[in-house]
């Protein structure tokens, strides 16, 4: 029994380092994804057909692609078109732009949930499109979109495991290292499962806090 | 205060809005003069609200022109006909037009005062302190200065609509459009809104009011316009229109209205309606 | 002499399409197996029996709260340890199925909640036994309600299937990797694979919308 727990103690630093890397990469990717997603959703409201078509295409492509392919194109295919990025950078950008498509959809349905009458009143008061988004749409939307946004962040955390395949030293890669060095299977994967679960729970709880604070 | 000039504030020429199988508006031409109060009446589906919304370019139309203070709204005269304007230019022409909506359309996440001051703050770049003063004055005008820090959900329908009027006033418009302002209100709340509107009229503000409130039209309007099936059927001073309607459709409309409202009239039955009294 | 992109794709398309076929096969089996089991889990989660409900919810929480790659690796390494020796493709199908069951149960639960409880009560009062009642009354309605979500989940499984390449299952992803290893043209090959995935998913979305329309008429 002691031997069983020994492995955990021995590899705790490695696993925790992996967890921190995972958390850090996901945080960066989330910020990138939300920023890009918001921009896309705002642009979608402009009545310029080719732009809206391009945004639609972007969203459909990201939703139809396994993230692994996106990462492979960027990491392994990149150098042949002059793009030499580190695995970590590819991870953040890949996850970020992948998530942006989903965040954009969440923002879009949020924008559409505001009653048209309020928008008309804002137009008559002379507000420009971006002023309407900032003062009328976003404040009211926040309560509505927080749960799906939190859900999407959790999905990104789980997807981040795939980064191990392009050699990023996050939690799953370190778990594999744990397995390869010790030939144990149960301890590493149980530890990995618990650590991912903890991270997901933390984000879910944070989400509930944000939801409560955002109610107007 | 409305500018005193001889030119019409709003000029509508040959406005038409067509759908696949019917016409909402057919060749409407109408002028609104400074300090005039014009009431538009008619049965449901006659196109009254559509006309108002096209005048403020909240709805697009098939053909015709709308001029606000001499400037074309929504379109520009191009080489081969009319070209749609950019949103910025539409806002610029529409700047001096205010609107009061049937369902108030207040912004629920902002206080009453913030609702009133948002327009001046963002559109006219009025600094926050001055905007709040302006807002309180507008609220005082509609009798709601004590409600400045409340939220719309805490107000009755009548109070919300008066906030809507204050919001329009805060932008210092040259003309205010009212789209059935009391139709969504409980009967006992209608009076307070109409009283506010009567007061505005007495101050000389140019108003275009789509309404079912014939009493208001009779007392306050300078001109009443009767619409049916997308056309202006008859228009004139309320005394003439209500006492001596010329067109059969208007007569029918007034008869229906009278028979529905007989039971609720508290004034002594007179042979005609009162003339315009309340305006000084 | 470097081969043009067009020739490169042309040469390798057949084997890539074969890989795509494996992708569809593996995903398809997982989805089809997942439906009845997902329904069972769904009824388990909503069960009035505390233990059944609790165990079901733990299962759901575990399989929805951890990355599918980790789940895949666990199944792959764990099965031989407990004496079950299966080819990688079977391990892949098992892992994908166990994963999708958890998500499908949640989807079905949403549909289940939209059905007024009075319908089951009526069935029980007429003497129909519980599983028969569920099968004939609830399940058809649930399916009609949740088709869009099911289509999304199917697309999700298809994308997840790319991960089974790491346990040596030769589906589209692995085939692409092998081609790249011999041709050294990663950019074009992976883009081609991406296009194939997108096409498969577009076809799926279209099929889903058609199924939705057809079933809506039946109501």
């Amino acid at each position: 029994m002691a031997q069983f727990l020994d492995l955990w103690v021995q590899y705790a630093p490695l696993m925790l380092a992996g967890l921190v890397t995972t958390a850090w990469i996901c945080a960066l990717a989330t910020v990138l994804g939300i920023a890009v997603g918001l921009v896309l959703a705002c642009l979608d409201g402009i009545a310029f057909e080719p732009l809206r078509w391009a945004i639609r295409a972007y969203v459909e492509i990201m939703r139809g692609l396994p993230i692994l392919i996106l990462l492979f194109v960027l990491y392994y295919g990149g150098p042949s078109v002059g793009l030499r990025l580190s695995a970590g950078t590819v991870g953040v950008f890949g996850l970020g732009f992948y998530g942006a498509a989903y965040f954009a959809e969440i923002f879009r349905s949020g924008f559409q949930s505001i009653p048209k009458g309020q928008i008309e009143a804002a137009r008559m008061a002379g507000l420009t499109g971006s002023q309407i988004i900032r003062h009328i749409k976003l404040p009211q939307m926040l309560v509505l979109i927080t749960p799906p946004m939190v859900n999407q962040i959790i999905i990104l955390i789980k997807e981040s495991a795939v980064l191990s395949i392009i050699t990023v030293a996050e939690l799953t890669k370190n778990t594999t290292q744990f397995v390869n060095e010790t030939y144990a299977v149960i301890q590493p994967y149980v530890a990995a499962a618990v650590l991912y679960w903890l991270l997901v729970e933390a984000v879910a709880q944070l989400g509930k806090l944000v939801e409560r604070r955002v109610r107007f | 205060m409305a500018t005193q000039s001889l030119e019409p504030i709003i000029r509508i020429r040959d406005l038409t809005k067509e759908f696949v199988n019917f016409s909402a508006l057919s060749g409407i031409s109408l002028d609104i003069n400074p300090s005039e109060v014009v009431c538009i009446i008619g049965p449901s589906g006659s196109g009254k609200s559509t006309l108002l919304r096209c005048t403020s370019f909240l709805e697009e139309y098939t053909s015709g022109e709308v001029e606000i203070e001499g400037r074309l709204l929504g379109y520009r005269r191009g080489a081969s006909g009319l070209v749609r304007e950019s949103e910025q230019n539409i806002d610029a022409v529409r700047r001096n037009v205010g609107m009061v909506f049937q369902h108030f359309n207040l912004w629920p996440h902002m206080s009453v005062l913030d609702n009133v001051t948002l327009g001046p703050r963002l559109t006219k770049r009025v600094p926050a302190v001055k905007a709040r003063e302006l807002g309180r004055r507008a609220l005082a005008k509609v009798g709601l200065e004590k409600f400045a820090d409340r939220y719309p959900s805490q107000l009755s329908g009548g109070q919300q609509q008066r906030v809507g009027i204050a919001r329009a006033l805060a932008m210092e418009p040259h003309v205010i459009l009212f789209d059935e302002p009391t139709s969504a209100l409980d009967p006992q709340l209608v009076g307070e809104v109409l009283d506010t509107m009567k007061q505005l009229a007495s101050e000389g503000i140019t108003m275009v009011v789509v309404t079912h409130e014939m009493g208001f039209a009779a007392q306050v309007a300078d001109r009443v316009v009767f619409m049916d099936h997308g056309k202006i059927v008859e228009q004139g001073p309320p005394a003439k229109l209500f006492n001596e309607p010329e067109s059969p459709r208007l007569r029918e409309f007034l008869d229906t209205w009278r028979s529905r409202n007989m039971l609720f009239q508290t004034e002594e039955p007179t042979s005609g309606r009162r003339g315009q009294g309340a305006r000084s | 002499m470097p081969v043009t992109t067009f020739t490169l794709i042309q040469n390798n398309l057949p084997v890539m399409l074969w890989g795509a076929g494996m992708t569809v096969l593996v995903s398809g089996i997982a989805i089809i197996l997942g439906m009845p089991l997902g329904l069972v889990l769904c009824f388990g989660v909503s069960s009035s029996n505390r233990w059944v409900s609790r165990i079901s919810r733990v299962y759901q929480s575990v399989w929805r709260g951890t990355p599918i790659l980790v789940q895949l690796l666990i199944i792959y390494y764990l099965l031989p340890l407990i004496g079950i020796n299966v080819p990688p493709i079977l391990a892949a199908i098992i892992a994908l199925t166990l994963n999708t069951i958890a998500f499908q149960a949640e989807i079905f639960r949403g549909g289940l909640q939209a059905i007024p409880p009075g319908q089951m009560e009526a069935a029980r009062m007429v003497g129909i036994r519980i599983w028969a009642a569920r099968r004939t009354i609830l399940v058809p309605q649930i399916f009609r309600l949740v088709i869009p979500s099911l289509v999304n989940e199917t697309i999700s499984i298809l994308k997840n299937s790319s991960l089974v390449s790491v346990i040596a299952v030769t589906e589209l992803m692995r085939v692409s990797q092998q081609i790249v290893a011999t041709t050294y043209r990663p950019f074009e090959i992976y883009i081609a694979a991406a296009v194939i995935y997108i096409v498969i998913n577009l076809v799926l979305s279209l099929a889903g919308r058609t199924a939705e329309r057809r079933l809506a008429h039946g109501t």
Side-chain angles (χ1 to χ4, degrees), chain C residues 6-212:
Chain C
F6 183 69
T7 324
L8 177 74
I9 306 290
Q10 199 178 24
N11 291 343
N12 291 295
L13 196 61
V15 71
M16 285 182 84
L17 287 178
W18 182 87
M22 281 303 273
T23 292
V24 171
L25 180 71
V26 168
S27 314
I29 296 178
I31 298 165
I32 293 176
L33 284 180
M35 282 198 220
L37 295 173
L39 276 168
V40 170
L41 185 65
C42 160
F43 287 124
V45 167
S46 355
S47 166
S48 40
N49 181 321
R50 254 183 345 151
W51 284 109
V52 170
S53 160
R54 208 170 280 174
I55 295 177
S56 306
R57 266 180 291 143
V58 166
Y59 178 97
Q60 251 200 334
S61 174
V62 166
W63 285 87
R64 286 172 67 201
T66 48
I68 189 167
L69 180 58
V70 172
Q71 296 168 3
L72 195 61
L73 292 170
I74 292 181
I75 299 283
Y76 184 62
Y77 286 115
L78 201 69
L79 289 185
L81 274 190
I82 58 178
I84 305 178
N85 284 305
V86 293
I89 187 172
L90 217 57
I93 293 178
I94 292 174
L96 284 177
T97 305
L98 289 174
N99 176 276
T100 186
I101 288 174
F103 285 95
Q104 289 198 33
E106 190 59 19
I107 291 173
F108 291 138
R109 201 172 69 90
L112 183 63
Q113 287 190 325
I115 301 175
Q119 292 193 20
M120 272 304 276
E121 290 170 3
R124 308 288 274 117
M125 291 311 289
V126 177
I128 306 179
R129 282 200 304 258
I130 189 156
W131 277 103
R134 285 178 173 157
R135 201 186 59 231
T136 54
I137 296 175
L138 293 179
V139 169
Q141 293 187 67
I142 292 177
F143 263 96
R144 208 166 295 161
L145 286 168
V146 304
I147 289 190
S149 304
L150 268 185
V151 169
N152 281 338
E153 175 61 17
T154 309
I155 292 179
S156 204
I157 297 175
L158 238 131
K159 299 201 297 185
N160 288 337
S161 73
S162 64
L163 296 177
V164 309
S165 55
V166 318
I167 60 173
V169 177
T170 34
E171 39 67 70
L172 179 54
M173 193 70 215
R174 191 156 178 83
V175 162
S176 309
Q177 283 174 288
Q178 290 170 340
I179 298 174
V180 169
T182 56
T183 64
Y184 296 98
R185 304 276 282 267
F187 192 70
E188 291 128 306
I189 296 295
Y190 289 134
I191 296 263
V195 170
I196 295 179
Y197 273 113
I198 294 175
V199 167
I200 297 178
N201 283 324
L202 277 178
V203 168
L204 257 178
S205 303
L206 218 72
R209 249 173 281 165
T210 319
E212 212 183 332

Side-chain angles (χ1 to χ4, degrees), chain B:
Chain B
M1 284 300 270
T3 50
Q4 292 296 325
S5 77
L6 295 174
E7 288 299 309
I9 286 193
I10 299 181
R11 201 167 215 158
I12 302 169
R13 273 194 277 250
D14 236 341
L15 196 63
T16 304
K17 185 178 171 93
E18 262 165 23
F19 291 100
V20 173
N21 43 13
F22 89 109
S23 297
L25 298 173
S26 302
I28 303 268
S29 293
L30 186 63
D31 283 352
I32 310 290
N33 299 304
S35 291
E36 238 195 327
V37 175
V38 176
C39 284
I40 304 181
I41 64 174
S44 307
S46 54
K48 335 188 274 297
S49 281
T50 312
L51 175 60
L52 211 68
R53 289 167 63 84
C54 287
T55 307
S56 55
F57 213 68
L58 288 176
E59 263 184 53
E60 307 226 8
Y61 42 89
T62 319
S63 68
E65 289 181 356
V66 174
E67 265 183 24
I68 311 280
E69 294 178 306
R71 293 163 74 185
L72 213 58
L73 174 64
Y75 295 94
R76 204 174 44 236
R77 285 200 182 89
S80 52
L82 296 177
V83 173
R84 200 180 189 292
E85 274 281 28
S86 67
E87 287 304 316
Q88 277 160 307
N89 288 338
I90 293 176
D91 282 342
V93 176
R94 200 165 51 185
R95 177 66 50 87
N96 295 322
V97 178
M99 187 139 178
V100 175
F101 297 86
Q102 184 177 352
H103 296 285
F104 335 131
N105 290 341
L106 296 183
W107 303 306
H109 59 297
M110 297 163 60
S111 71
V112 161
L113 186 61
D114 286 338
N115 259 275
V116 173
T117 58
L118 189 70
R121 267 197 304 125
L122 293 185
T123 311
K124 293 184 163 178
R125 315 265 181 86
V126 176
V129 177
K130 262 203 81 186
R132 273 201 291 271
E133 259 179 59
L134 189 82
R136 285 187 202 277
R137 260 182 288 145
L139 283 173
K141 208 171 209 137
V142 301
L144 290 176
E145 62 272 30
K146 294 213 179 71
F147 290 73
D149 295 316
R150 301 251 187 109
Y151 280 78
S153 57
Q154 299 171 303
L155 270 54
S156 75
Q159 291 165 333
Q160 288 186 50
Q161 189 60 299
R162 282 150 68 197
V163 173
I165 296 177
R167 179 173 62 179
L169 285 174
M171 290 293 285
E172 295 173 332
H174 295 170
V175 57
I176 305 184
L177 308 176
F178 292 80
D179 187 0
E180 299 204 34
T182 57
S183 296
L185 292 175
D186 289 338
Q188 64 266 36
L189 300 173
V190 168
E192 66 191 65
V193 174
L194 292 183
D195 286 339
T196 307
M197 288 167 67
K198 282 183 203 168
Q199 187 197 323
L200 291 183
S202 70
E203 291 172 14
I205 294 188
T206 316
M207 296 163 59
V208 183
V209 185
V210 170
T211 185
H212 291 294
E213 295 288 330
M214 302 302 166
F216 175 82
Q219 289 172 14
V220 181
D222 296 306
R223 195 172 17 133
V224 173
V225 172
F226 173 66
M227 279 183 70
D228 193 16
H229 286 103
K231 296 200 177 72
I232 295 182
V233 175
E234 206 177 318
Q235 59 179 302
K240 165 108 188 357
L241 223 79
F242 288 136
N243 290 336
E244 293 153 29
E246 280 175 11
S247 60
R249 283 210 290 244
L250 178 55
R251 252 177 268 150
E252 209 185 302
F253 178 74
L254 290 174
D255 282 339
T256 319
W257 188 87
R258 276 198 200 102
S259 64
R260 285 229 193 89
N261 287 274
M262 277 295 267
L263 289 174
F264 301 97
Q265 274 181 2
T266 50
E267 58 184 34
E268 336 82 74
T270 51
S271 55
R273 309 209 124 259
R274 290 167 50 208
Q276 313 162 251
R279 303 200 63 229
S280 49

